[in-house]
């Protein structure tokens, strides 16, 4: 296999960004998450969770796998293989040129089963299935075996930026003309043991901004559900008034964690999509530009954003909204707050983790949410962060069709990513 960076132009591309002379288009995309599976019904009727943890809502796998095959696959592998089949079918592509996946934990449930069997059986009479299906690269490999695909195959394991690195690989290879299509995905599951472990280190220490017993929270939910999209901003104003009245007697000051419409939670998520270098009528939207930045200062983020917008041939005024990973965790949101105040102060701010939860695949679900907004041509009101939902923007600006969304994600304030998505509709 050839190394990913083997030419001077490749090195220059890494230094200056991932934009090249070829555009990258999304032809189809699917999700399995805590929302209704394989549909964007969440856009109109989202399910909000008050629990600290929620599991993926799986479809009926018996419709997709024979019983003997299903018995030999864990749930995460079933999700990955089934979604890959459906995504390729929707894109009218028989065989992708590359399969690239991102996962933070891999098939962690199989790993735990294997380790438990070692302890219980004294390292004797161990079944090899759990071990073979516990490595992280089993996801891309199993998809390739199912499709009989012998093309480029890779899996990125970088915790919260696994998807971002998988996307970077695909975009670079498409831009260089090495491949024409790529099946890119992110797959994550959560076990009881890992939930407890992450809970002990404070990963789930979210601020509860919407208690299930609170009348105000119920009123906020009803206000949001009563409006389909941001074309009418009455629901946003209603939510803002509810939260502003709560914040008077709480710790939500100018230096507090930004509010999101509802509390966040631990979750599972899987998403995959078909990327292509050729635009046709089936293209959903375009990845206009993409950049990964490691341990940047605020000035470094500003420089990267300015360079990205310059390569894309637009300005911040052309961006309709900025989607962030706000989740009410103090350490997480402090980073976004600085970026919002210094880089995006005039833009509407969106959030998505109160809908899909927090996991190592969260950035993939944010990407999917932004793609869905561009495909629908509007933004649902419950995606607006209330504290930032009412910048000095006119109703006409709010009502215009959504054309460009900028995604900003970070993981532990070390790895940051900017992704600029543009609508393909005329």
């Amino acid at each position: 296999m050839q190394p990913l960076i083997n030419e001077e132009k490749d090195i220059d591309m890494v230094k200056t960004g991932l934009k090249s002379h070829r555009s990258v288009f999304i032809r189809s995309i699917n999700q399995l998450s805590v929302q209704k599976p394989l549909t964007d019904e969440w856009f109109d009727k989202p399910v909000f969770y008050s629990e600290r943890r929620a599991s993926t809502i799986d479809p009926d796998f018996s419709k997709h796998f024979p019983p003997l095959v299903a018995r030999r696959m864990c749930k995460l592998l079933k999700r990955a293989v089934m979604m890959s089949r459906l995504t390729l079918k929707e894109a009218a592509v028989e065989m992708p040129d590359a399969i690239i996946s991102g996962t933070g934990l891999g098939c962690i449930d199989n790993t735990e089963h294997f380790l438990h069997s070692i302890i219980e059986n004294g390292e004797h009479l161990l079944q090899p299935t759990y071990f073979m299906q516990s490595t992280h690269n089993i996801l891309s490999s199993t998809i390739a075996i199912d499709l009989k695909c012998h093309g480029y195959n890779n899996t990125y394991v970088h915790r919260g930026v696994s998807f971002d690195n998988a996307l970077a690989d695909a975009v670079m290879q498409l831009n260089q003309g090495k491949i024409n299509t790529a099946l890119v995905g992110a797959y994550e599951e959560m076990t009881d043991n890992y939930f407890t472990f992450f809970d002990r280190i404070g990963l789930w220490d979210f601020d509860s901004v919407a208690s299930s017993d609170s009348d105000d929270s119920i009123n906020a939910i009803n206000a949001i559900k009563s409006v389909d999209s941001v074309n009418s901003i009455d629901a946003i104003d209603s939510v803002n008034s509810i939260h502003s009245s709560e914040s008077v007697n709480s710790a939500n000051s100018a230096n507090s964690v930004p509010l999101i419409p509802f509390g966040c939670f631990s979750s599972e998520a899987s998403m995959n999509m078909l990327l292509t270098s050729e635009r046709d009528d089936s293209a959903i939207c375009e990845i206009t530009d993409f950049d990964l930045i490691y341990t940047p200062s605020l000035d470094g983020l500003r420089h990267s954003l300015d360079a990205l917008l310059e390569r894309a041939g637009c300005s911040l005024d052309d961006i309709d909204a900025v989607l962030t990973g706000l989740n009410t965790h103090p350490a997480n949101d402090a980073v976004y707050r600085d970026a919002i105040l210094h880089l995006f102060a005039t833009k509407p701010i969106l959030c998505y983790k109160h809908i899909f939860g927090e996991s190592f695949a969260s950035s993939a679900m944010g990407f999917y949410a932004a793609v869905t907004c561009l495909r629908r041509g509007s933004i649902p009101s419950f995606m607006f962060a209330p504290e930032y939902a009412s910048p000095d923007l006119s109703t006409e600006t709010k009502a215009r069709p959504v054309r460009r969304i900028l995604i900003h994600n970070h993981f532990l304030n070390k790895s940051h990513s900017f992704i600029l998505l543009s609508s393909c509709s005329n």
Side-chain angles (χ1 to χ4, degrees):
M1 182 184 299
Q2 292 182 344
L4 183 60
I5 300 177
N6 57 6
E7 300 175 5
E8 290 186 4
K9 66 178 182 180
D10 295 337
I11 298 175
D12 292 338
M13 187 175 294
V14 172
K15 290 180 180 178
T16 60
L18 299 174
K19 183 64 179 177
S20 185
H21 63 282
R22 303 185 69 180
S23 298
V24 175
F25 300 94
I26 303 169
R27 190 174 292 182
S28 61
I29 189 168
N30 279 295
Q31 61 85 20
L32 289 175
S33 66
V34 296
Q35 300 296 323
K36 187 173 181 179
L38 304 174
T39 178
D40 58 1
E41 186 175 310
W42 63 270
F43 193 93
D44 302 305
K45 299 178 181 179
V47 178
F48 296 107
Y49 290 84
S50 59
E51 300 85 357
R52 299 188 67 221
R53 176 184 175 188
S55 300
T56 294
I57 302 174
D58 287 313
D60 185 0
F61 289 122
S62 64
K63 297 180 180 180
H64 303 274
F65 301 101
L68 186 60
V69 174
R71 284 179 54 193
R72 296 177 179 175
M73 300 173 67
C74 66
K75 278 189 176 182
L76 195 62
L77 286 179
K78 293 176 186 175
R79 294 168 187 167
V81 171
M82 184 202 66
M83 289 174 61
S84 299
R85 293 177 181 176
L86 294 178
T87 298
L88 291 175
K89 183 178 180 180
E90 292 175 2
V93 173
E94 184 175 349
M95 190 69 63
D97 296 331
I99 298 173
I100 308 173
S101 302
T103 180
L105 297 175
C107 297
I108 188 63
D109 189 46
N110 277 354
T111 303
E112 292 185 1
H113 274 96
F114 178 70
L115 295 176
H116 288 159
S117 66
I118 290 178
I119 298 171
E120 294 170 358
N121 297 304
E123 301 183 15
H124 297 289
L125 303 174
L126 302 177
Q127 295 183 356
T129 303
Y130 286 135
F131 173 74
M132 292 187 297
Q133 293 188 359
S134 65
T135 59
H136 292 75
N137 64 344
I138 191 65
L139 290 161
S140 292
S141 302
T142 302
I143 295 172
I145 292 171
D146 180 71
L147 298 175
K148 296 180 174 58
C149 176
H150 301 281
Y152 180 84
N153 192 287
N154 208 351
T155 302
Y156 286 85
V157 186
H158 299 290
R159 294 190 289 176
V161 289
S162 300
F163 168 74
D164 305 74
N165 282 276
L167 181 61
D169 188 352
V171 170
M172 290 177 68
Q173 296 204 50
L174 286 164
N175 282 339
Q176 296 170 48
K178 294 182 177 180
I179 59 176
N180 292 318
T181 57
L183 185 65
V184 181
Y187 313 98
E188 215 65 62
E189 64 181 351
M190 180 60 62
T191 64
D192 293 339
N193 289 327
Y194 257 81
F195 175 82
T196 302
F197 171 74
F198 287 135
D199 193 26
R200 287 175 179 173
I201 63 176
L203 192 62
W204 316 130
D205 289 347
F206 307 120
D207 283 356
S208 179
V209 299
S211 169
S212 58
D213 324 300
S214 170
D215 292 336
D216 286 340
S217 299
I218 294 174
N219 292 336
I221 293 174
N222 291 334
I224 280 181
K225 285 186 174 180
S226 67
V227 179
D228 290 335
S229 70
V230 74
N231 291 344
S232 174
I233 62 174
D234 293 339
I236 296 177
D237 293 337
S238 175
V239 174
N240 279 337
S241 63
I242 291 171
H243 283 301
S244 62
S245 63
E246 292 175 345
S247 64
V248 172
N249 299 315
S250 69
N252 294 316
S253 63
N255 297 319
S256 68
V257 177
L259 291 173
I260 61 174
F262 306 99
C264 193
F265 53 93
S266 167
S267 69
E268 304 174 315
S270 297
M271 183 279 283
N272 73 3
M273 58 185 172
L274 196 284
L275 302 182
T276 177
S277 57
E278 299 178 0
R279 176 173 180 170
D280 58 18
D281 293 338
S282 63
I284 300 173
C285 68
E286 174 189 354
I287 303 176
T288 307
D289 211 328
F290 178 40
D291 209 356
L292 288 173
I293 316 103
Y294 186 68
T295 61
S297 62
L298 189 59
D299 287 339
L301 276 178
R302 181 182 291 106
H303 174 76
S304 297
L305 176 61
D306 291 343
L308 179 144
L309 294 175
E310 182 179 355
R311 293 193 303 270
C314 63
S315 67
L316 193 61
D317 292 336
D318 299 316
I319 307 300
D320 295 302
V322 178
L323 182 111
T324 68
L326 291 168
N327 66 2
T328 75
H329 191 290
N332 175 77
D333 286 10
V335 180
Y336 287 117
R337 186 190 308 113
D338 286 344
I340 291 169
L341 294 178
H342 294 91
L343 304 180
F344 317 122
T346 62
K347 308 309 297 182
I349 303 301
L350 312 179
C351 51
Y352 60 91
K353 290 185 178 180
H354 61 297
I355 309 169
F356 297 105
E358 180 67 73
S359 70
F360 286 146
S362 290
S363 61
M365 298 312 298
F367 184 96
Y368 160 78
V371 170
T372 304
C373 290
L374 289 170
R375 175 164 53 186
R376 291 287 199 102
S378 63
I379 301 172
S381 56
F382 55 80
M383 284 186 65
F384 282 80
E387 185 171 341
Y388 304 107
S390 300
D392 188 17
L393 297 171
S394 65
T395 304
E396 290 76 13
T397 302
K398 289 275 190 178
R400 71 184 182 188
V402 179
R403 302 287 298 174
R404 292 186 180 92
I405 295 178
L406 177 67
I407 303 173
H408 175 214
N409 272 309
H410 81 85
F411 180 67
L412 301 180
N413 197 23
K414 291 183 178 180
S415 298
H416 289 247
S417 65
F418 285 128
I419 307 173
L420 179 58
L421 299 177
S422 303
S423 174
C424 287
S425 60
N426 297 323

